[in-house]
Amino acid sequence: MIVSAIRAVLPCPAGRIWRTVTDLQHYGWRSDLSRLEVQADGRFVEYTRQGFPTTFTVTAAKPCRRWAFTLENENLRGRWQGIFWERQGKTAVLFTEWVEPKAPVPAVLIRLYLKQQQRRYLADLRRALGC
């Protein structure tokens, strides 16, 4: 399994970050998505700008603390977790992804892809929050 994580401190309250990250109806702040479909039983499907779908199933939702889900598409399967800590009006976030490729792909390429996606997600989040 390949693991990639990104950590940041954002000058915003945890509640504001939590609402932005978990609001599946308002995903327009994400520059990597063309659409997002909410399904039953805690599932949702994200589509990249190229129309490639990934299905997610929420496994934990502890407001302002932890959001986690499994993920799967035709190339990989895994899980994602977001952890949130608030102190003095600032919030530390830790986003971690664990993935297993379905086909033989060099781990270094997957790690590079995950890091790029995580940096983009965090940059989009900062832009959406204005911090």
Side-chain angles (χ1 to χ4, degrees):
M1 187 155 289
I2 298 161
V3 181
S4 184
I6 191 166
R7 180 186 305 251
V9 176
L10 303 170
C12 300
R16 184 168 167 215
I17 297 167
W18 174 264
R19 284 187 301 277
T20 302
V21 168
T22 61
D23 184 351
L24 301 177
Q25 301 300 321
H26 299 96
Y27 60 88
W29 60 274
R30 301 267 313 270
S31 66
D32 58 331
L33 300 182
S34 63
R35 72 182 200 269
L36 189 150
E37 296 173 354
V38 178
Q39 299 181 338
D41 303 326
R43 291 177 6 137
F44 60 98
V45 180
E46 291 182 352
Y47 294 84
T48 65
R49 291 280 177 204
Q50 296 75 32
F52 188 78
T54 300
T55 300
F56 299 86
T57 303
V58 176
T59 58
K62 296 180 181 179
C64 303
R65 297 280 181 239
R66 181 174 179 252
W67 196 39
F69 40 78
T70 60
L71 58 101
E72 185 163 4
N73 62 35
E74 69 182 48
N75 297 320
L76 55 84
R77 69 178 62 85
R79 58 193 172 99
W80 182 96
Q81 174 178 264
I83 302 291
F84 307 80
W85 300 273
E86 184 175 346
R87 287 224 170 86
Q88 301 173 344
K90 294 181 181 181
T91 304
V93 296
L94 173 61
F95 301 132
T96 308
E97 203 161 355
W98 297 262
V99 299
E100 259 183 74
K102 291 183 177 180
V105 177
V108 68
L109 293 180
I110 295 171
R111 273 193 198 90
L112 288 171
Y113 172 77
L114 291 175
K115 283 293 184 195
Q116 175 188 2
Q117 287 298 103
Q118 288 174 326
R119 284 191 299 268
R120 183 177 192 175
Y121 183 88
L122 190 56
D124 286 349
L125 181 59
R126 285 182 191 278
R127 236 182 334 277
L129 296 169
C131 41

